[in-house]
Amino acid sequence: MNQKDVKARLEQAVAALTDEIVKFGRDIVRIETENPPGNNYRACAELVGDKLRAFGYQVEYVAVPPGRLPELAPHGQGLERVSVVGRLPGKEARPVLHFTGHMDVVPAGDGWTVPPYEGIVKDGKLYGRGACDQKSGIVAQVFVAEAIRRAGFRLLGTVESSATPDEETGGYAGVGYLVEKGYIAADKTDYVVITECLDADRVCIGHRGAAWMSIATKGKKSHGSMPDLGINALDKMIKLLHLVNEELKPRLRQRTTDLPVAPAACRKSTLAVTVINAGTKVNTVPDRCTAEIDRRLIPGETVEGAIEEIRELCRRLQAEDPDFQYEINRIMYADPTLVPTDTPLVKAFLASGEAVVGHVPEFVISPGTDDQRFVVQHAGIEQCIVYGPGALNLAHQTDEYVAIADILTAVKVMAHAAMELLGYEDVKRGDA
Ligand SMILES: [Zn+2]
């Protein structure tokens, strides 16, 4: 079977599926799945599940038991956390290629010129919150096997496709839970593709790490007219943040990486103080001040190391000032992830990208974190990449959109790669 023929038949199949792909994209954007708190996950999972079932998949819904919601989704207001997992058995049980994408979106916010949840299509673009990040990725993954089937091929290995909640709040109740429960596991999953929006002509091989911390300084209340009778926790925090700004941040700026983190401005360690809270009343000295820090790590750094750097500043202040009392709490943390590039999975996506787009995809590393870490670090599956439609710089923006051409490109690239990785028969011709 020559490559040109495969390409032409897939092109044709995807062209014939385009209306259905766009309709499914509009339908999924119309389900508002803002997280926090995590709305309408069941409805969204069922939309995906129904489509997968129509395409021949065995479908299962995996809900986090209510008793574990406080631990896995602490800001989820007790709302249900459910994933859908579809399995399309091939002629052979292995290899297994698992696609996964997150259903949740960040809140739409104000300032949109199009309604964020109506699935508006205009000028070849699908608009809406989540259109790019990353419901279009779910759309693409759902249609991969169907495109292959309609092109007249039968996959030998098995395709799985899951849609999960909560990536935007850490992923513990989503991919984290699927990994914990063994739905994605090193002894039964060969390849994993996370369908986040990192541009349809790039292959993402990792992400920076994150250490989100809450730091509290503690003091003693007193009347604002007699401040020396108290210990002002806000003053203590100012001392700490001064050190953070004057010492730590310049040091972090020097810590750069040559790895292809995009945008290039993120090829270094970063730190941002993002929230601060203290005091209740103008005439009361505050006894507690909290500051939240968003620290991002380049490959080679660790969460532990990042926390230790803050702790070291605190210890120094404490040595000078016994009234300096503090505690550090973790909000969310993820070590950086980086996978090898000489694996069959990466090679298949490079070759498929070249066949479809016309040039070899560039490697990219996400500036944020994503569900890849659960698969690589927790499940121990090294062959895990992030590949999906949508421009990274449109994620979380007002008037978010995805180019429909990007979705179609992604379906084709994924389909080529699936055929390469899983093997196939030519059903139309009856040869292998
Ligand atoms: Zn995303």
Side-chain angles (χ1 to χ4, degrees):
M1 171 96 251
N2 88 44
Q3 276 305 314
K4 262 194 182 143
D5 200 13
V6 172
K7 190 183 165 194
R9 281 163 60 180
L10 278 176
E11 284 280 352
Q12 217 172 22
V14 172
L17 276 166
T18 298
D19 287 351
E20 207 179 324
I21 290 170
V22 172
K23 181 182 182 306
F24 187 63
R26 302 184 66 181
D27 289 346
I28 194 168
V29 166
R30 282 177 177 145
I31 300 177
E32 181 263 282
T33 48
E34 290 190 355
N35 178 31
N39 295 328
N40 303 312
Y41 285 155
R42 175 67 68 168
C44 191
E46 284 178 351
L47 182 83
V48 174
D50 289 349
K51 198 72 177 169
L52 289 172
R53 200 174 278 126
F55 290 157
Y57 284 71
Q58 303 157 355
V59 171
E60 190 181 342
Y61 294 92
V62 183
V64 173
R68 293 200 59 200
L69 290 175
E71 167 206 350
L72 298 178
H75 307 293
Q77 297 176 10
L79 295 170
E80 187 186 34
R81 265 53 197 166
V82 62
S83 295
V84 57
V85 184
R87 182 177 170 83
L88 184 67
K91 207 172 168 190
E92 294 148 17
R94 301 290 283 267
V96 171
L97 168 59
H98 188 112
F99 292 98
T100 186
H102 69 86
M103 302 182 286
D104 56 321
V105 300
V106 294
D110 300 326
W112 286 66
T113 63
V114 287
Y117 296 113
E118 285 186 16
I120 304 282
V121 170
K122 209 170 59 178
D123 304 329
K125 297 166 183 162
L126 168 63
Y127 283 86
R129 173 55 84 228
C132 174
D133 183 9
Q134 61 123 108
K135 285 176 168 170
S136 55
I138 296 176
V139 173
Q141 73 186 53
V142 162
F143 279 86
V144 169
E146 183 63 9
I148 294 168
R149 189 185 71 80
R150 295 212 197 168
F153 303 108
R154 184 181 0 198
L155 289 168
L156 300 182
T158 293
V159 178
E160 295 178 345
S161 200
S162 62
T164 63
D166 276 11
E167 192 276 341
E168 300 289 0
T169 48
Y172 304 100
V175 171
Y177 190 68
L178 290 187
V179 166
E180 182 194 315
K181 290 289 148 191
Y183 287 89
I184 299 170
D187 62 356
K188 60 184 190 207
T189 318
D190 297 284
Y191 313 108
V192 178
V193 177
I194 294 166
T195 54
E196 287 270 15
C197 49
L198 279 139
D199 301 313
D201 63 346
R202 298 201 285 189
V203 170
C204 175
I205 52 169
H207 59 70
R208 289 199 303 174
W212 295 355
M213 330 169 211
S214 170
I215 303 163
T217 49
K218 295 182 263 184
K220 195 172 131 223
K221 269 195 190 120
S222 72
H223 196 286
S225 68
M226 297 171 274
D228 292 345
L229 297 184
I231 298 170
N232 191 326
L234 177 51
D235 285 345
K236 305 297 179 198
M237 183 60 79
I238 288 169
K239 281 190 184 178
L240 174 62
L241 295 184
H242 181 74
L243 284 184
V244 165
N245 282 330
E246 299 302 314
E247 280 193 30
L248 184 53
K249 275 193 194 168
R251 229 191 302 154
L252 297 180
R253 270 195 286 273
Q254 303 298 317
R255 220 175 277 167
T256 57
T257 177
D258 294 332
L259 291 164
V261 180
C266 296
R267 286 177 193 168
K268 57 178 187 272
S269 304
T270 54
L271 183 155
V273 181
T274 45
V275 178
I276 189 155
N277 279 301
T280 49
K281 200 164 182 305
V282 66
N283 60 349
T284 302
V285 168
D287 63 348
R288 189 178 176 87
C289 177
T290 57
E292 293 179 6
I293 285 184
D294 182 347
R295 170 78 161 81
R296 300 295 172 137
L297 291 67
I298 54 173
E301 292 188 299
T302 63
V303 169
E304 278 314 316
I307 294 172
E308 183 53 30
E309 282 173 325
I310 300 285
R311 203 178 280 132
E312 196 271 322
L313 299 179
C314 292
R315 276 200 299 261
R316 217 190 317 154
L317 290 169
Q318 204 165 37
E320 294 165 4
D321 172 8
D323 284 340
F324 187 90
Q325 299 295 327
Y326 71 98
E327 66 186 37
I328 300 174
N329 291 300
R330 297 165 184 233
I331 301 172
M332 199 281 286
Y333 48 94
D335 280 322
T337 297
L338 185 64
V339 297
T341 54
D342 57 350
T343 57
L345 176 66
V346 171
K347 287 179 186 162
F349 270 80
L350 294 185
S352 304
E354 186 178 17
V356 174
V357 187
H359 60 262
V360 180
E362 278 176 24
F363 289 128
V364 61
I365 292 175
S366 168
T369 65
D370 55 53
D371 287 334
Q372 192 185 20
R373 73 187 192 280
F374 292 110
V375 178
V376 176
Q377 296 173 21
H378 296 199
I381 300 170
E382 214 174 41
Q383 296 207 58
C384 171
I385 57 164
V386 183
Y387 173 81
L392 174 63
N393 59 5
L394 292 174
H396 300 199
Q397 303 281 351
T398 41
D399 290 348
E400 178 181 345
Y401 68 84
V402 62
I404 287 162
D406 262 17
I407 308 179
L408 305 181
T409 297
V411 175
K412 287 179 237 176
V413 171
M414 291 171 178
H416 273 274
M419 290 172 70
E420 165 76 24
L421 291 163
L422 302 180
Y424 61 93
E425 289 173 338
D426 187 345
V427 184
K428 242 183 192 167
R429 301 198 177 163
D431 58 27

